Amino acid sequence: LRRVPLFAGLTEPQFEQLAAGSARRSYPKGRTIVSEGEPSQSMYILLAGRAKVQRSDSEGKEVILAVLGSGEYFGEMSLIDDAPRSASVITLETSEFIAVSKEAFKAMLAQSPDMAMSVMRGLVRRLREADKKIETLALLDVYGRVARVLLDFSEDVNGERIVKNKLPRQDIAKMIGASREMVSRVMKGLEIDGYILPLPEGKLVLREKLASYIS
Ligand code: CMP
C-alpha cells in the first residue's frame, strides 16, 4: 500500500486508517470488477496485471475507453459523485488489486489535501486523454485511428517504438469504433507498406513514418 503513489502524502495514522478499510484481492482473466450502471462501494488500485475500461450499448456493442496497468486506479468517480458506475472494468489477465472502501477513500480525501490533489491530477489527466480521443475520432480516418492506438500502446526499446503486449484486432476495433475486419485490412496495409513490422508473440515494431498518419 505504501508504494502506491496516490497514498504517498498520508501520515502514519491516516495510513493505518486506510489500511483498515482496504483488502487485497486477486482475480483471473475476464473477471468484471466493476459494472457499468451499478452502485459503488469501493475503488481499486491495480497492483499487478491489466484491465480494460469499457462501456456497452443496449445491443451489446462495446467501446474500450482505456486499458489500465499496474499502479493505476479506478472506481473513484462514482465514489466522488455518488452516481452509478460510469463504465465496466474487466481484467485482461490474472490481476491483483487493493480494494479501498468508500468510507476510507472519502475520509482520506477529506483529511489529506495531497491525496485530494493527486486524485484531481488523475481526473485532469484522464480528461486530457479523452480530449485527445475525441480529436482522433472526429478528425482522423481509420488508418490514423489505428496508428494512434498503436503509438499510444507502444514504448521505446533501444530507440525503437515497440508494442510489447499482444493487442487483439478486436480490441483495437472496440477502441476506434471500427469493425474487426476493417482493422485487419488496415493492419495488413500498414504491414505491406512498411509502416509496421510484426514480430513473434503478437509484438510489433512501429516504423517512424507511422506517425505521419496522425500529424
Ligand atoms: P467509476 O465510474 O466508479 O467506475 C468505472 C471506472 O472506470 C470509473 O470510476 C473510472 O475509474 C474508470 N474510467 C471511466 N472512464 C475512464 C476513461 N475514459 N479512462 C480511464 N478510466 C476511466
Side-chain angles (χ1 to χ4, degrees):
L1 214 54
R2 281 217 174 280
R3 274 178 279 129
V4 177
L6 179 61
F7 305 134
L10 297 184
T11 63
E12 190 58 35
Q14 286 169 344
F15 194 77
E16 277 167 23
Q17 198 184 339
L18 178 75
S22 306
R24 201 173 165 134
R25 300 199 188 134
S26 181
Y27 293 109
K29 177 181 173 174
R31 182 69 67 86
T32 301
I33 311 300
V34 309
S35 295
E36 182 185 346
E38 296 208 338
S40 54
Q41 289 308 321
S42 312
M43 59 86 69
Y44 299 83
I45 297 127
L46 191 50
L47 292 181
R50 283 187 314 140
K52 62 178 172 177
V53 180
Q54 74 174 32
R55 286 177 63 95
S56 50
D57 69 7
S58 54
E59 290 166 23
K61 275 195 291 179
E62 292 162 352
V63 54
I64 297 179
L65 302 172
V67 174
L68 307 176
S70 65
E72 294 188 280
Y73 59 88
F74 60 90
E76 79 293 7
M77 283 170 56
S78 55
L79 299 192
I80 292 169
D81 69 0
D82 290 315
R85 294 289 193 198
S86 61
S88 296
V89 181
I90 301 163
T91 53
L92 289 169
E93 51 195 65
T94 304
S95 302
E96 294 219 16
F97 301 89
I98 295 173
V100 179
S101 73
K102 186 176 197 158
E103 294 69 32
F105 180 68
K106 285 196 144 174
M108 286 311 111
L109 280 187
Q111 288 172 34
S112 166
D114 280 354
M115 189 174 138
M117 196 63 194
S118 178
V119 169
M120 274 195 270
R121 262 199 304 274
L123 292 170
V124 168
R125 186 178 342 109
R126 195 176 297 153
L127 180 58
R128 285 180 187 278
E129 283 164 10
D131 286 350
K132 208 170 82 177
K133 275 176 209 145
I134 292 170
E135 181 195 27
T136 300
L137 293 173
L139 302 182
L140 296 181
D141 66 10
V142 69
Y143 276 82
R145 295 180 192 185
V146 171
R148 166 130 298 156
V149 169
L150 295 178
L151 287 162
D152 280 351
F153 278 82
S154 69
E155 47 197 287
D156 188 86
V157 180
N158 304 323
E160 280 196 307
R161 298 291 328 162
I162 308 279
V163 180
K164 277 188 173 170
N165 283 313
K166 186 174 164 55
L167 204 51
R169 282 158 176 58
Q170 181 72 70
D171 286 357
I172 297 176
K174 286 182 188 172
M175 287 178 219
I176 62 171
S179 67
R180 193 180 56 78
E181 293 72 22
M182 174 61 96
V183 171
S184 292
R185 268 204 300 282
V186 168
M187 297 277 287
K188 198 78 221 162
L190 291 174
E191 185 185 332
I192 289 167
D193 294 338
Y195 288 87
I196 60 175
L197 175 69
L199 298 177
E201 294 162 19
K203 291 184 186 150
L204 285 174
V205 180
L206 309 184
R207 298 292 186 216
E208 235 166 81
K209 63 178 181 175
L210 186 67
S212 65
Y213 275 111
I214 61 168
S215 55

